[in-house]
């Protein structure tokens, strides 16, 4: 229910260009329905794209009610919708007689050329996101490309609409279109200027770089000249290791340390070697190196749920937010029972496993290790986290239990299906997907 006002606000903003054009129609003579339909599709595409950046601009007022997982998935789906509206707009234009040559930026009027630029930039934006892993496009390059393509698409769409005239001849429609782009640019300026300036005034430094085994390292950070910040257990931050926070290369990392007041002031961030930055830059960091943080973000936290029992299901580096939650429970004296299912390929690929085994002796925690590779000398479960495996270890009654799931995407999908098979309602499942596309 708390999300309904925000959903209504999103729909209103996305449809604002179409609504204003419909009520402020400056065209006296009737036009074919295909022309009107093409115009409507174009205005809806414009509205959706103009609002898209607000979903990922790190505005706390927008992100807090939903969390990273929900916003990113919604952002992705609306990106597909924007492409569908834009392509539909182009197809309808061709049906009513627009030359095929207008699909290419090198020919036609300013309106036609800017429209084709907007269309192809939008298609490229979505295609590079969907195919990023398949074509092995590095995350850092994709991140910059995504930002520039979004900016080019938005500006080209505005030029296209203004150059063609039509409904945009009405002052109210021009105001809405230009205002939408102005808000987009303001959010971009806040994202690329205001936030880095704020981070620059609150630097952090690397206190220690701890190797956790396998390909995982923990960055132990301490604030420089400030007291750090409070956070909820399970939240994450964006980390930049450039000379200044204006470096466009940032990485989302879950906080792996306790959120209890006595533990604040130092942060632990676990990094798994998955890309060029984590493989090459992180191992070379030396104690004393300056780093920059933006956060905290995310709604994936035990502080936002009411539950008598907690079940955490993690895979690989997805165990980081679970560690923060469990350490916070221990330090706060939280007596609730927690069960942690920790899946990995084998013992050596399970960072923090010894930490959790020790933690199980200090608090009401049951640890279930799940190794993909069989190890006869280990008491860990073998295989994958399935409904059958969960049923063997879960408590009898699940009515007042909340589940937290974080890990590789395929594993998370499988776990959600398994919980559904066990009759767990989706409202009691919290997930965090660090899939930026």
């Amino acid at each position: 229910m708390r999300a309904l006002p925000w959903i209504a606000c999103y729909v209103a903003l996305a449809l604002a260009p179409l609504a204003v054009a419909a009520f402020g129609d400056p065209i006296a003579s009737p036009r074919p329905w295909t022309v009107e339909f093409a115009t409507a599709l174009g205005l809806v595409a414009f509205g959706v794209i103009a609002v898209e950046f607000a979903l990922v601009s790190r505005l706390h007022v927008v992100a807090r009610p939903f969390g990273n997982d929900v916003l990113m998935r919604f952002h992705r789906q609306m990106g597909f919708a924007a492409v569908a509206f834009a392509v539909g707009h182009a197809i309808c234009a061709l049906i009513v007689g627009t030359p095929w040559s207008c699909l290419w930026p090198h020919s036609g009027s300013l309106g036609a050329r800017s429209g084709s630029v907007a269309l192809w930039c939008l298609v490229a934006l979505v295609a590079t996101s969907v195919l990023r892993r398949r074509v092995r496009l590095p995350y850092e390059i994709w991140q910059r490309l995504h930002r520039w393509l979004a900016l080019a698409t938005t500006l080209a769409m505005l030029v296209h609409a203004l150059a063609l005239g039509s409904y945009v001849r009405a002052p109210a429609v021009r105001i809405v279109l230009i205002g939408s782009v102005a808000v987009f640019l303001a959010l971009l300026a806040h994202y690329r200027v205001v936030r880095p300036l704020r981070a620059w005034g609150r630097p952090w430094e690397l206190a220690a770089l701890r190797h956790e085994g396998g390909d995982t390292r923990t960055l132990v950070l301490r604030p420089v000249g400030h007291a750090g910040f409070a956070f909820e257990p399970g939240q994450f931050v964006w980390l930049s290791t450039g000379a200044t926070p204006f470096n466009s290369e940032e990485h989302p990392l879950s906080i792996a340390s306790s959120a209890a007041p006595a533990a604040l002031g130092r942060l632990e961030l676990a990094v798994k070697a998955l890309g060029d930055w984590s493989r090459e830059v992180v191992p070379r960091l030396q104690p004393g190196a300056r780093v920059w943080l933006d956060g905290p973000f995310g709604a994936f936290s035990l502080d936002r749920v009411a539950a008598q029992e907690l079940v955490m299901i993690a895979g690989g580096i997805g165990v980081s937010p679970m560690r923060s939650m469990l350490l916070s429970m221990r330090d706060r004296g939280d007596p609730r029972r927690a069960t942690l299912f920790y899946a990995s390929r084998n013992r050596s690929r399970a960072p923090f496993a010894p930490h959790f085994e020790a933690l199980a002796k200090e608090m009401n925690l049951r640890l279930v290790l799940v190794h993909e590779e069989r190890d006869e000398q280990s008491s860990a479960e073998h295989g994958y986290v399935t409904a059958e495996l969960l049923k063997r270890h879960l408590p009898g009654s699940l009515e007042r239990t909340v589940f937290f799931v974080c890990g590789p995407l395929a594993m998370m999908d499988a776990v959600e299906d398994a919980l559904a098979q066990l009759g767990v309602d989706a409202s009691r499942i919290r997930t965090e997907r660090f899939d930026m596309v």
Side-chain angles (χ1 to χ4, degrees):
M1 293 300 296
R2 290 194 302 269
L4 286 179
W6 288 105
I7 295 172
C9 182
Y10 178 90
V11 172
L13 291 173
L15 296 181
L18 177 63
V20 174
F23 286 103
D25 188 352
I27 302 173
S29 59
R31 299 194 301 176
W33 74 268
T34 48
V35 174
E36 298 289 355
F37 188 60
T39 303
L41 290 175
L43 289 170
V44 173
F46 187 102
V48 170
I49 293 169
V51 181
E52 275 285 85
F53 190 68
L55 300 175
V56 291
S57 58
R58 303 185 199 170
L59 293 176
H60 283 285
V61 69
V62 176
R64 183 172 178 81
F66 303 98
N68 178 71
D69 191 8
V70 172
L71 281 182
M72 291 307 302
R73 283 197 277 181
F74 185 67
H75 174 72
R76 179 186 178 112
Q77 296 304 320
M78 293 313 297
F80 291 140
V83 170
F85 288 128
V87 171
H89 171 72
I91 292 174
C92 287
L94 294 174
I95 291 175
V96 298
T98 301
W100 281 86
S101 60
C102 288
L103 291 178
W104 310 109
H106 66 274
S107 64
S109 64
L110 175 61
R113 293 198 304 272
S114 56
S116 63
V117 168
L119 176 63
W120 292 115
C121 283
L122 179 60
V123 171
L125 187 152
V126 173
T128 53
S129 298
V130 173
L131 301 175
R132 178 171 69 88
R133 289 186 174 86
R134 190 172 301 176
V135 300
R136 298 183 179 180
L137 181 65
Y139 169 75
E140 297 80 6
I141 295 176
W142 168 81
Q143 190 180 46
R144 298 189 191 99
L145 185 63
H146 196 76
R147 189 177 302 131
W148 283 109
L149 286 172
L151 179 60
T153 299
T154 305
L155 294 178
M157 288 188 75
L158 178 62
V159 173
H160 174 66
L162 295 176
L164 289 181
S166 185
Y167 282 93
V168 185
R169 293 201 300 269
V173 178
R174 288 201 302 272
I175 290 172
V176 168
L177 296 185
I178 296 174
S180 298
V181 174
V183 171
F184 175 93
L185 294 176
L187 290 173
L188 183 60
H190 183 268
Y191 176 80
R192 293 296 303 145
V193 178
V194 176
R195 283 195 174 278
L197 280 174
R198 191 181 301 161
W200 208 356
R202 299 172 62 85
W204 294 71
E205 72 176 13
L206 182 66
L209 182 63
R210 197 169 61 225
H211 193 266
E212 303 292 352
D215 52 5
T216 300
R217 289 175 170 82
T218 296
L219 302 175
V220 183
L221 307 178
R222 58 178 169 232
V224 179
H226 59 96
F229 52 73
F231 62 91
E232 298 174 15
Q235 290 190 303
F236 71 97
V237 296
W238 288 86
L239 171 74
S240 173
T241 54
T244 74
F246 291 94
N247 180 12
S248 62
E249 185 174 314
E250 296 178 287
H251 301 269
L253 299 173
S254 288
I255 301 172
S257 48
S258 173
L264 296 179
R266 291 166 69 97
L267 290 181
E268 295 186 1
L269 308 175
V271 183
K272 185 176 181 179
L274 295 173
D276 293 342
W277 175 80
S278 54
R279 288 194 186 100
E280 300 173 8
V281 176
V282 171
R284 294 201 301 266
L285 293 175
Q286 297 296 322
R290 288 292 172 96
V291 298
W292 320 95
L293 299 182
D294 186 17
F297 297 100
F300 186 73
S301 174
L302 61 85
D303 287 359
R304 301 197 180 195
V305 298
Q308 290 187 352
E309 188 159 339
L310 303 170
V311 173
M312 304 174 186
I313 307 171
I317 200 63
V319 80
S320 294
M322 314 303 188
R323 184 174 187 259
S324 177
M325 293 186 207
L326 291 171
L327 288 175
S328 300
M329 291 178 68
R330 181 201 63 184
D331 295 344
R332 294 170 174 177
D334 192 328
R336 290 179 293 178
R337 183 168 64 176
T339 302
L340 172 63
F341 293 86
Y342 185 11
S344 61
R345 183 177 302 174
N346 52 48
R347 174 79 178 196
S348 67
R349 308 283 287 185
F352 302 123
H355 298 252
F356 292 124
E357 290 170 339
L359 200 58
K361 301 176 182 178
E362 303 177 40
M363 59 180 292
N364 192 5
L365 169 65
R366 182 181 185 187
L367 175 64
V368 181
L369 297 175
V370 183
H371 294 164
E372 183 180 340
E373 297 175 355
R374 185 178 297 278
D375 184 357
E376 300 297 343
Q377 299 180 347
S378 171
S379 59
E381 290 275 6
H382 167 252
Y384 300 96
V385 180
T386 61
E388 181 183 353
L389 185 148
L390 290 171
K391 191 174 183 179
R392 288 203 303 270
H393 296 281
L394 288 175
S397 176
L398 302 177
E399 293 181 0
R400 298 185 179 180
T401 301
V402 172
F403 295 79
F404 292 89
V405 185
C406 188
L409 299 182
M411 179 207 127
M412 293 182 65
D413 292 340
V415 168
E416 288 183 284
D417 290 341
L419 292 174
Q421 293 176 34
L422 296 177
V424 178
D425 190 85
S427 63
R428 291 189 286 114
I429 302 173
R430 302 290 186 271
T431 59
E432 185 77 289
R433 284 171 170 81
F434 283 97
D435 181 19
M436 294 301 109
V437 297

